Amino acid sequence: MKARKWPATRQVARTMQILRRKPGQKTDRMRPPVHRLVLVQLGLTLAMAIAGYLMAGLVMAYSALLGGLTYTLPNALFTQQVFRYRPARAIGSIVKAFYRGEVVKLVLTALCFAAVFKWADPLDARMFFITFILVLLTNSLAPALWGSKSLKLRA
């Protein structure tokens, strides 16, 4: 008869597997709560687009959608790039990824602005910038909304 594995034993085995990784090795299942922030930004973008559609129609809706996505997509790429390494064991990799990710984020944001203003012909600039700024402010409001404990890594 096989011995039954208890959930605590599986957790200990998983923790040991994580600790045996080499410094700088990419994570697989550990996700910091910053990924939740990207989902909140997408939700706010969709809410603003729906509100724009209900208030003034299609032009305001896609202006809000483009405004939110102009910030959210580069930010999602940034978080994916920076938070793929385990903290404390790969400080050098994290710092390099942070600077590289910030440059890519800024360039991609500028390209998104250029593309929107070049190809989105009837654009409600007011709704575009309002949504962009609201989504941008979610980064500042995240610690207030979730508290300092939620900013720690969770397995």
Side-chain angles (χ1 to χ4, degrees):
M1 185 171 189
K2 285 187 175 182
R4 182 176 170 184
K5 276 195 161 185
W6 297 97
T9 307
R10 283 188 216 132
Q11 182 66 26
V12 169
R14 175 75 182 131
T15 304
M16 292 306 294
Q17 180 184 11
I18 290 170
L19 292 176
R20 275 184 258 152
R21 286 195 194 125
K22 296 175 185 159
Q25 186 175 0
K26 294 180 183 177
T27 60
D28 56 349
R29 291 173 57 184
M30 291 180 68
R31 287 185 174 238
V34 73
H35 293 287
R36 287 189 297 165
L37 182 60
V38 173
L39 293 176
V40 168
Q41 290 171 345
L42 284 173
L44 179 61
T45 299
L46 288 175
M48 289 296 288
I50 291 169
Y53 181 75
L54 294 175
M55 287 187 329
L58 193 59
V59 173
M60 191 175 272
Y62 76 75
S63 297
L65 189 65
L66 290 173
L69 291 178
T70 297
Y71 185 79
T72 304
L73 293 179
N75 194 39
L77 182 66
F78 171 78
T79 57
Q80 185 271 331
Q81 190 172 7
V82 170
F83 292 101
R84 66 182 169 186
Y85 296 104
R86 288 194 56 208
R89 289 187 173 194
I91 294 299
S93 299
I94 291 172
V95 171
K96 286 179 193 174
F98 185 84
Y99 284 117
R100 191 176 331 117
E102 190 63 33
V103 168
V104 169
K105 178 181 165 183
L106 290 173
V107 169
L108 193 56
T109 302
L111 289 175
C112 286
F113 268 107
V116 165
F117 286 115
K118 182 174 181 170
W119 289 307
D121 190 17
L123 181 73
D124 185 352
R126 181 183 46 177
M127 189 64 162
F128 175 83
F129 283 112
I130 287 172
T131 306
F132 180 83
I133 291 169
L134 281 176
V135 173
L136 179 98
L137 288 175
T138 57
N139 283 340
S140 301
L141 298 177
L145 293 174
W146 289 318
S148 61
K149 288 185 180 182
S150 69
L151 296 177
K152 295 178 183 173
L153 284 178
R154 295 183 183 168

